Amino acid sequence: MRILKELIAKLAEGKSLSLEEAYSSCITMLKGDYDPIEASALLMGLRVKGEASQEFQGFLKALEENVIHINTTKKVIDIVGTGGDRLNTINASTLASIVVASMGIPVAKHGNRGFSSLFGSADFMEAVGYPIEHNASIASKLIDSVSFTFLYAPQYHLALKNIAPVRKKLGIRTIFNMVAPLINPARPTAQIIGTPNEKTANIISNALTGFSKRKYAIVTGYPGMDEVSPVGPTRVIIMKDSLQEEIIIHPKDLGLQEIPIESIIGKTKEEILKKDLEGLKGKDHAASIFIALNSGLTLYLIDEVRSIHEGFKKSLNQIKEGLAWRKLNEIVSEARRLVDIG
């Protein structure tokens, strides 16, 4: 506990922690070896100061060492948001993951229940009948059989339970909310990472440089959306083939009209779920466009297509042809069979 007290004093002076200090503080909290008041002060100190890249790296290293990994020989991808936009949009990342899987591309979708939203990825998967609390062995089998598994974060980040009471009591976003989504138990070779603001995107990009060799695209959509936005421009930091570039995706550049944000958000869980399902079926145009934009970027990142526009058109076709909807039903059916719940 002494280490936390010393680091709190450093943060109180407006100084950033070193990578090693951030790592040690995270390990201390993950072990449950802390005073709740001190842990709260440290997390709040990081939040108020603004988390630095090396602090992200320290927490990334600690969480990576404590996650339960999935054994798979497949090169999987992940589309994940870090949350915090509080817009209550449809579950575009999860739905885009299903679209990608419908093309036979292995996906290990890492997610949790809604923290800053009404209806998170785990809430959606559970609502459609998927048994989210299955184990790592079943996750591996699902990747092999249906090219998709959902990795419910609490099942794989067990050590986070030791800091959960403090995080719940604080009731605000902490560094854990931003770092944990990046540590996918299946070790994806490519990852789309959504952030609600450009500052966070820059920090994550700097943190991943040198820490991870995977391909990634860090997206921040208008108006503060942690996904590719159909409402306005989206800034994307892309890293692939050891080269980093920054691009702007605008709906108009893809031949699309901007979509009113009201058409892709919901005021209740039931409303969001309805739009989710209708979008995946191709029956809700705005939702389908939103989904296809995100899966389209994913296809571009992993070199399945030559442009984001091509990826978007290919994704939209999967939706319109009913292939994405069919894949969701196949995923749910196989997962339920494997856990023997019919």
Side-chain angles (χ1 to χ4, degrees):
M1 289 188 287
R2 180 183 175 185
I3 185 173
L4 294 189
K5 187 173 293 186
E6 293 172 353
L7 298 181
I8 291 166
K10 187 172 182 178
L11 291 171
E13 295 176 1
K15 298 177 181 178
S16 293
L17 307 183
S18 67
L19 188 156
E20 293 75 17
E21 289 171 333
Y23 169 79
S24 296
S25 67
C26 186
I27 289 293
T28 296
M29 289 184 282
L30 292 178
K31 288 182 177 178
D33 184 24
Y34 63 85
D35 178 276
I37 294 176
E38 291 180 0
S40 298
L42 185 132
L43 293 173
M44 182 62 78
L46 288 169
R47 172 72 186 269
V48 172
K49 176 186 68 65
E51 297 89 347
S53 294
Q54 75 274 9
E55 292 166 339
F56 260 76
Q57 288 180 324
F59 273 68
L60 282 168
K61 182 182 177 185
L63 287 173
E64 176 67 37
E65 290 178 0
N66 283 275
V67 70
I68 296 173
H69 285 112
I70 303 298
N71 293 318
T72 178
T73 58
K74 301 289 182 69
K75 292 183 178 180
V76 303
I77 65 101
D78 183 24
I79 308 175
V80 66
T82 56
D85 63 19
R86 300 186 182 278
L87 294 174
N88 291 320
T89 57
I90 66 168
N91 298 92
S93 296
T94 308
L95 299 165
S97 299
I98 294 165
V99 172
V100 172
S102 74
M103 301 177 195
I105 299 167
V107 178
K109 175 69 181 93
H110 187 212
N112 207 338
R113 298 192 185 278
F115 175 79
S116 60
S117 64
L118 281 173
F119 200 61
S121 56
D123 300 310
F124 169 77
M125 293 304 297
E126 190 173 58
V128 297
Y130 185 97
I132 62 173
E133 295 185 352
H134 64 64
N135 60 32
S137 175
I138 287 177
S140 181
K141 291 176 182 177
L142 285 167
I143 292 172
D144 289 336
S145 62
V146 293
S147 300
F148 181 95
T149 191
F150 181 79
L151 304 176
Y152 181 44
Q155 289 289 104
Y156 302 92
H157 296 279
L158 299 181
L160 283 175
K161 291 180 180 179
N162 291 326
I163 190 63
V166 169
R167 295 173 64 198
K168 186 174 182 180
K169 194 77 173 178
L170 278 175
I172 60 167
R173 175 194 62 76
T174 70
I175 190 170
F176 283 112
N177 296 98
M178 294 184 287
V179 173
L182 307 184
I183 305 298
N184 185 307
R187 299 186 181 99
T189 56
Q191 194 171 35
I192 303 291
I193 302 165
T195 64
N197 59 71
E198 293 186 5
K199 180 180 178 181
T200 301
N202 292 337
I203 293 171
I204 290 177
S205 177
N206 292 333
L208 290 179
T209 301
F211 180 85
S212 172
K213 295 182 180 180
R214 64 181 179 265
K215 295 179 180 178
Y216 62 80
I218 304 172
V219 306
T220 306
Y222 178 86
M225 190 180 296
D226 67 343
E227 284 148 335
V228 181
S229 175
V231 180
T234 297
R235 178 195 186 222
V236 187
I237 302 171
I238 295 179
M239 171 65 81
K240 64 176 182 175
D241 304 323
S242 300
L243 296 174
Q244 186 179 98
E245 64 172 328
E246 183 177 322
I247 63 172
I248 300 294
I249 301 174
H250 201 293
K252 291 182 179 179
D253 295 335
L254 302 179
L256 301 170
Q257 293 293 321
E258 293 178 355
I259 291 172
I261 193 167
E262 292 78 16
S263 63
I264 56 169
I265 63 174
K267 296 180 180 179
T268 65
K269 296 178 180 179
E270 293 75 17
E271 185 180 357
I272 295 171
L273 176 60
K274 181 181 179 181
K275 289 187 177 184
D276 282 342
L277 300 179
E278 295 294 289
L280 198 63
K281 291 177 182 178
K283 295 182 178 180
D284 184 317
H285 177 72
S288 296
I289 293 295
F290 189 16
I291 297 163
L293 282 172
N294 284 274
S295 52
L297 173 61
T298 306
L299 296 178
Y300 174 69
L301 178 67
I302 60 176
D303 298 314
E304 285 289 322
V305 293
R306 290 170 293 180
S307 68
I308 296 170
H309 189 206
E310 183 184 346
F312 165 74
K313 290 194 297 182
K314 188 173 182 178
S315 297
L316 194 58
N317 184 66
Q318 290 290 113
I319 294 171
K320 289 182 176 180
E321 293 294 321
L323 300 174
W325 176 250
R326 187 185 306 167
K327 173 56 69 172
L328 173 61
N329 284 282
E330 181 187 7
I331 289 166
V332 173
S333 177
E334 179 68 357
R336 292 175 69 86
R337 184 188 71 80
L338 288 173
V339 299
D340 196 26
I341 59 176

